[in-house]
Amino acid sequence: MTLLQSNTASGAAQLQAGDQSAQRFALVALTSLFFLWGFITCLNDILIPYLKGIFDLNYAQAMLVQSCFFGAYFLVSLPAGALVSRIGYQKGIVTGLGVAVLGCLLFIPAGRMEIYALFLGALFVLASGITLLQVSANPYVTVLGDEHTAASRLTMTQAFNSLGTTIAPQFGAIMILPAAGVAASAAGASAVAVPYLILASSLAVLAIVFGILKLPQMTAHTVTKGQAESAWNYRHLVLGAVAIFLYVGAEVSIGSFLVNFMAEDSIAGLEESEAAFFVSLYWGGAMVGRFAGALIMRYIAAGNVLAVCAIVSCILLLITVIGDGYLAMYAVLAVGLSNSIMFPTIFSLAVAKLGRATSQGSGILCLAIVGGAVVPFLQGLLADRVGIQLAFVLPVFCYLYILYYGIAGHRPNKRA
């Protein structure tokens, strides 16, 4: 059975309790999830230099943090979709929150035992819960209103995701990074216990809330085996999956290297705890851009906005590679602003006009988030060989493809 293909089809979904007030309330509730999983995802940017210092890792080894986290998207998306098809979107959200709670709690024994592999395992479990949330929540948001404003609506919810990514580095700078200097000590390795216990408590509260809430129910036409249509038949969906892969890979890779990049003497020579606060500017730019983008894309075609943002990202990264000092530092931080609208825009363009195949298409796009596991690792290998600054050339190629998708690749055209 393909992802959510049987008994669910979010593109054809209708909200039984679909009055505007119910839709607004549902959107507000879902927005809280976007905030929290953005917070958890971005905390990895602080966890990487922390674990790199504690376990004396090279860049490629440190990037296994992102490989395990985003690898869960690839391995868990299809099972998560099958589960949601059986239990529904709301119960899928509650289940995802429960799995994420377990992942957070696993950081406690990982810190006490000081084993890097256990940290990676905890991250995988945590990301599995986040994947289930993504599979449940993203398509839900796209149908909570007019189809023509789906990109704008998903961009707005993603703006609150970026609010979480903006706050997380400062939280990590206070709660985690100061212990990184306590090399190989139990106090240093167990510094993650308190922050992840706080996250576990927050997730548990949300699980209870979503278990009680009466959200509008999404129903769908039953699709028989003979009627089923594959999303793989749609060229713009397949190209969009590649765009999601490269976008997530580039965004995560850049964020993962920021602390170590700004600590370089030729750039800013900042202490890791100081650099962590500047990481908030990168993710904060994405937040500001998403709020603005939600308004702009009501008047300008989403593909055109995507293309312009991709061009700006390429220019800023080239300045990062060839520049030095604060020029290079602020150039790479500014990429966050141009990143802002990319994920929700690519997602909404890729699932447009899929009809009954929308649910399967959503699952394919969630699988493509595995780019966050692959691209950072490749950039880590590159950084170990040519240096951290020159390694920023890799995301340039990712944005060049996104430029193509914004110009031409997104146009709906069913493949023969």
Side-chain angles (χ1 to χ4, degrees), residues 167-182:
I167 295 173
Q170 307 215 22
F171 175 83
I174 295 171
M175 300 292 292
I176 297 176
L177 276 184
V182 192

Side-chain angles (χ1 to χ4, degrees), residues 71-352:
Y73 282 88
F74 183 77
L75 296 175
V76 178
S77 285
L78 289 177
L83 177 64
V84 172
S85 71
R86 293 184 178 90
I87 66 177
Y89 287 93
Q90 184 168 355
K91 290 182 180 178
I93 290 171
V94 174
T95 304
L97 287 167
V99 174
V101 168
L102 175 61
C104 288
L105 293 178
L106 288 175
F107 275 83
I108 298 174
R112 289 179 179 175
M113 298 175 69
E114 302 180 52
I115 299 175
Y116 185 46
L118 290 182
F119 280 103
L120 299 180
L123 281 163
F124 182 86
V125 174
L126 175 57
S128 297
I130 300 299
T131 302
L132 187 50
L133 292 178
Q134 291 261 26
V135 170
S136 301
N138 275 319
Y140 207 155
V141 171
T142 62
V143 299
L144 283 174
D146 192 325
E147 179 184 357
H148 297 292
T149 59
S152 174
R153 191 165 53 254
L154 191 55
T155 298
M156 178 60 73
T157 55
Q158 287 283 340
F160 285 92
N161 177 275
S162 292
L163 177 61
T165 63
T166 301
I167 295 173
Q170 307 215 22
F171 175 83
I174 295 171
M175 300 292 292
I176 297 176
L177 276 184
V182 192
S185 74
S190 62
V192 295
V194 173
Y196 278 92
L197 186 59
I198 293 173
L199 285 175
S201 301
S202 302
L203 290 164
V205 170
L206 273 178
I208 294 171
V209 169
F210 272 89
I212 297 173
L213 285 178
K214 300 296 183 183
L215 295 179
Q217 296 298 309
M218 293 175 62
T219 60
H221 302 290
T222 301
V223 181
T224 65
K225 185 175 181 181
Q227 294 172 319
E229 184 174 16
S230 174
W232 293 105
N233 290 333
Y234 291 84
R235 177 176 175 271
H236 70 286
L237 181 278
V238 176
L239 296 179
V242 177
I244 289 287
F245 178 95
L246 294 175
Y247 162 70
V248 174
E251 181 189 49
V252 171
S253 190
I254 292 169
S256 300
F257 282 92
L258 284 178
V259 171
N260 294 112
F261 178 65
M262 290 184 286
E264 293 280 300
D265 291 335
S266 61
I267 304 302
L270 299 177
E271 295 291 331
E272 289 181 343
S273 57
E274 295 177 306
F277 284 98
F278 284 92
V279 176
S280 292
L281 295 180
Y282 175 72
W283 296 107
M287 177 184 66
V288 172
R290 281 173 176 166
F291 280 117
L295 177 63
I296 292 172
M297 283 189 292
R298 289 181 178 270
Y299 306 100
I300 302 176
N304 293 338
V305 178
L306 180 64
V308 170
C309 289
I311 292 172
V312 173
S313 294
C314 290
I315 294 172
L316 290 171
L317 283 171
L318 290 175
I319 294 173
T320 301
V321 171
I322 64 177
D324 57 15
Y326 284 98
L327 174 64
M329 171 179 153
Y330 284 112
V332 73
L333 292 175
V335 175
L337 181 61
S338 54
N339 272 344
S340 57
I341 56 88
M342 289 189 183
F343 182 88
T345 302
I346 295 170
F347 191 97
S348 57
L349 290 173
V351 299

